[in-house]
Amino acid sequence: MTVHSKIARSSTDRRELDRGAQGRDAAVAPPAGLVARQPITTALPAPGNDMIADAPDDQGLAPRRPISIAIGKRLRGTFDRLIGASSLVPNDPVLDPALFAWTQMLRGHWQAIRDEAVAVALHANAAPSLVTISPDHRGIAEVDSWRSFFLHGYGFPIAENLARCPRTAAAIAGIPGLNSAFFSILAPGTHIPDHRGVTKALITCHLGLIVPRNGDVRMRVADQFVRWGEGEMLVFDDTYRHEVWNDSDATRVVLLLHIERPLRQPGKWFADLFMGFIRRSAFVQDARKNIHAWNAAMSRLDG
């Protein structure tokens, strides 16, 4: 089982919690986008979507986007409060996987999912750096430290990637309210700084696939420290500030899912409205085009 506690912390946990408290103004990152990596000789795309990134403009991390993005960012707190008040599951930072019946089914397929991640996502350049495909993550993800292989993004399926992972595709097909799904790959020594997700309308779920055992691979969510287990589920609200460490000499891989938060009205109406705005935004629409361009480029290289 995944272990998490507010009380029992190692000395490393205490140091990192203190350090995280000092970084509460770090850049905010959204659930991952879908933008293509360019050849190594090409400069990284400029970061964007000021609705999602909370870094001050003078840090050079979030150049201005259309006025609608700025409005969305200002409204996010109000929407989160309305959504949270209508939630059918607790608003705690870390949630019990048993609240979501489908998690048991997914655990039963974890080895087949892991095998596809190894054969496909970890093969050559199939999974690009997240900062390259999603420049909005520039403040928290260095090139080649955090890579992602997308199956779904904001409700849009990535058909060519799903076709390459048929058993994973079948396993996630029945998940209620599936919004995004991707293999999240952290290189040895990676630290993802303190940040928060884009909306309380989504809940984040991790299925542990490859978890190094020769170091300390952990995540802080609010004031709780959690650690992954292979074949185990971790469910949390990523609107709480969180950060991740892979303090090992091996790669960590999880299947990362974003699902719709179970809601009553009127929260469901507000959540659908806000998510519709995000799905239509340049952040998502540009990403859809770019992930297909990335896959096409990789296909030509393989061909």
Side-chain angles (χ1 to χ4, degrees):
M1 294 291 293
T2 300
V3 177
H4 55 272
S5 173
K6 294 184 179 180
I7 301 173
R9 300 191 183 104
S10 68
S11 59
T12 299
D13 287 347
R14 294 190 187 95
R15 288 195 301 272
E16 300 300 353
L17 185 57
D18 291 342
R19 188 177 304 162
Q22 298 171 5
R24 291 295 190 260
D25 293 329
V28 169
L34 310 169
V35 184
R37 177 166 67 178
Q38 301 297 324
I40 193 69
T41 55
T42 303
L44 289 177
N49 208 341
D50 194 44
M51 179 189 70
I52 304 212
D54 280 345
D57 291 341
D58 60 6
Q59 291 185 12
L61 296 179
R64 295 187 182 277
R65 285 268 192 157
I67 187 64
S68 59
I69 296 297
I71 294 172
K73 181 179 176 181
R74 290 183 179 277
L75 291 175
R76 183 176 59 188
T78 300
F79 274 79
D80 279 353
R81 287 189 292 273
L82 292 167
I83 291 167
S86 298
S87 182
L88 295 173
V89 297
N91 284 297
D92 299 334
V94 180
L95 302 174
D96 185 351
L99 292 167
F100 307 90
W102 56 265
T103 60
Q104 186 64 32
M105 174 277 298
L106 198 66
R107 289 179 59 198
H109 295 284
W110 83 270
Q111 290 173 314
I113 295 171
R114 177 203 58 197
D115 291 347
E116 287 189 337
V118 171
V120 179
L122 296 182
H123 176 71
N125 292 315
S129 294
L130 182 58
V131 68
T132 308
I133 65 171
S134 180
D136 294 274
H137 287 75
R138 190 175 186 178
I140 62 170
E142 298 179 358
V143 173
D144 291 333
S145 65
W146 184 3
R147 295 183 292 133
S148 300
F149 184 86
F150 280 88
L151 303 168
H152 291 264
Y154 280 97
F156 296 105
I158 311 301
E160 60 267 38
N161 289 352
L162 287 166
R164 298 175 66 188
C165 302
R167 299 186 70 178
T168 303
I172 66 177
I175 295 177
L178 179 67
N179 176 273
S180 297
F182 59 95
F183 295 120
S184 176
I185 304 162
L186 291 190
T190 294
H191 172 224
I192 302 175
D194 178 88
H195 63 288
R196 59 151 286 174
V198 65
T199 175
K200 209 170 183 68
L202 299 177
I203 289 175
T204 303
C205 310
H206 290 180
L207 174 64
L209 301 177
I210 301 174
V211 181
R213 300 181 182 180
N214 60 348
D216 191 5
V217 186
R218 66 199 183 280
M219 175 170 62
R220 176 185 60 79
V221 185
D223 66 346
Q224 300 186 48
F225 282 85
V226 296
R227 289 168 171 84
W228 296 270
E230 293 183 355
E232 298 292 334
M233 294 293 306
L234 171 63
V235 181
F236 66 101
D237 179 345
D238 78 352
T239 62
Y240 288 92
R241 301 199 72 88
H242 55 286
E243 59 186 315
V244 180
W245 296 263
N246 180 6
D247 288 337
S248 78
D249 60 5
T251 298
R252 188 230 64 177
V253 182
V254 302
L255 176 65
L256 191 155
L257 309 170
H258 289 124
I259 63 166
E260 295 175 0
R261 177 183 289 271
L263 296 167
R264 65 176 68 89
Q265 297 294 358
K268 181 69 166 62
W269 185 87
F270 286 108
D272 290 346
L273 178 66
F274 193 74
M275 291 306 303
F277 170 80
I278 295 174
R279 279 170 55 88
R280 292 188 297 272
S281 71
F283 168 67
V284 172
Q285 294 304 319
D286 289 350
R288 292 180 64 202
K289 298 174 185 176
N290 290 337
I291 194 66
H292 294 303
W294 169 263
N295 285 343
M298 292 302 100
S299 179
R300 289 193 296 271
L301 287 175
D302 292 340

